[in-house]
Amino acid sequence: MMMAQHGNNSLTLTSPYQWMMKLKHKSKSPFVVGVLARPAENIAQETNVYKDNWFDHLAINHLSKSVQASTGHSNRKSGYESLVEAAMVAYKEFNSNEQKEVIIQALDRAFPRPILMLIRTMLPPSKFAREYFAAFTTLFFAWLVGPSEVRESEMNGRREKNVVHIKKCRFLEKTNCVGMCINLCKMPSQSFIKDAFGMPVNMVPNFDDMSCEMIFGQEPPPSTDDPAFKQPCYRLCKTKQNHGMNCLS
């Protein structure tokens, strides 16, 4: 973390983008507040192939075990398939409100509260904090959501690099289910990040191309006004095909 001392003895945090994004390519895009895609009859046929390294495997296994512990159901699969299976169990066994709480419990297990509270204390809401969270997400969470990049948006009348553009969400691609995206990723992640860090974030999935925007510093709209909740599920939804479930219930 880079700090500059000024005459009034206050600490000013310099932008994290200049030093964290040296490892990434810069990109700019218009500000996105919501996406309502057309009914997805045919989704992209190309499937990303991931070559997870040791850190990716460690992180995936840790989160999968946390989800399994929260649901009370274990599985014998490995890698990302184990995480998807654990999420599928949560989706099958609990209603939509319970699903959100189960995942929040899993995130609480996965990330120790003392560390989260320390980060919250050191990074109160600010331009620096929003850009820091965006940069950190692109660097350290590709194992969960796939490749991403930092983009700009307008916040409080000025441009900030506070948006994470996920090119094609790994979780949505693997589950192929709108309901699982909303109930097991979007809603619990928004709540967890706000509660743990004091940082509002609006996750805006695009179900046409499976991309997603994470807009740090923006409060998400109520579910009644959120375009994501008006999206019909994919015709080839795995949850609906394999378990006969209404994935938007």
Side-chain angles (χ1 to χ4, degrees):
M1 186 178 303
M2 298 188 295
M3 301 182 181
Q5 185 76 34
H6 293 278
N8 60 2
N9 293 324
S10 64
L11 289 174
T12 300
L13 301 177
T14 60
S15 170
Y17 188 80
Q18 283 74 21
W19 59 278
M20 291 189 74
M21 285 295 97
K22 287 180 181 179
L23 303 178
K24 307 284 285 184
H25 293 291
K26 297 180 181 178
S27 177
K28 299 180 180 179
S29 75
F31 182 52
V32 179
V33 295
V35 171
L36 177 58
R38 298 184 302 277
E41 290 297 321
N42 296 302
I43 59 176
Q45 297 299 312
E46 293 185 4
T47 301
N48 290 328
V49 176
Y50 292 90
K51 296 181 179 179
D52 296 315
N53 59 33
W54 67 268
F55 173 81
D56 300 331
H57 283 293
L58 187 66
I60 292 167
N61 182 66
H62 180 60
L63 183 56
S64 177
K65 294 297 184 184
S66 297
V67 175
Q68 292 174 49
S70 294
T71 63
H73 296 275
S74 61
N75 68 69
R76 296 183 178 181
K77 295 186 177 181
S78 61
Y80 207 84
E81 293 301 323
S82 175
L83 178 59
V84 171
E85 178 65 20
M88 183 67 72
V89 170
Y91 201 67
K92 288 166 53 183
E93 298 295 328
F94 301 92
N95 64 40
S96 57
N97 291 327
E98 293 170 338
Q99 290 162 19
K100 175 183 173 182
E101 295 305 316
V102 164
I103 297 304
I104 290 176
Q105 290 174 18
L107 293 173
D108 279 329
R109 292 174 183 269
F111 302 100
R113 277 286 167 174
I115 295 178
L116 301 182
M117 292 303 298
L118 178 62
I119 295 173
R120 179 171 182 158
T121 301
M122 296 177 65
L123 292 172
S126 64
K127 177 178 183 289
F128 177 88
R130 292 187 289 271
E131 293 190 338
Y132 182 91
F133 279 111
F136 188 89
T137 300
T138 61
L139 287 175
F140 295 106
F141 284 90
W143 58 269
L144 180 59
V145 297
S148 62
E149 61 187 10
V150 171
R151 293 186 174 182
E152 287 187 339
S153 76
E154 184 172 322
M155 180 67 64
N156 301 324
R158 60 184 180 180
R159 304 295 293 179
E160 294 184 5
K161 296 181 175 69
N162 65 317
V163 178
V164 175
H165 175 74
I166 301 167
K167 299 175 182 179
K168 187 175 184 181
C169 178
R170 185 177 187 180
F171 183 74
L172 180 57
E173 182 180 23
K174 286 293 186 180
T175 60
N176 203 31
C177 178
V178 169
M180 291 185 70
C181 166
I182 293 173
N183 294 342
L184 302 181
C185 181
K186 172 181 164 63
M187 298 304 289
S189 295
Q190 290 175 167
S191 295
F192 178 79
I193 293 171
K194 177 67 178 293
D195 293 343
F197 302 111
M199 174 63 67
V201 60
N202 184 18
M203 298 181 67
V204 186
N206 183 330
F207 295 111
D208 254 353
D209 61 7
M210 293 188 171
S211 66
C212 185
E213 303 275 335
M214 297 181 68
I215 309 169
F216 288 98
Q218 184 182 87
E219 292 283 354
S223 58
T224 53
D225 299 327
D226 195 325
F229 284 84
K230 299 177 176 65
Q231 169 68 39
C233 202
Y234 297 116
R235 180 173 58 86
L236 301 179
C237 169
K238 294 178 182 178
T239 304
K240 186 164 51 181
Q241 283 185 329
N242 297 340
H243 305 286
M245 296 176 62
N246 178 3
C247 63
L248 296 178
S249 61

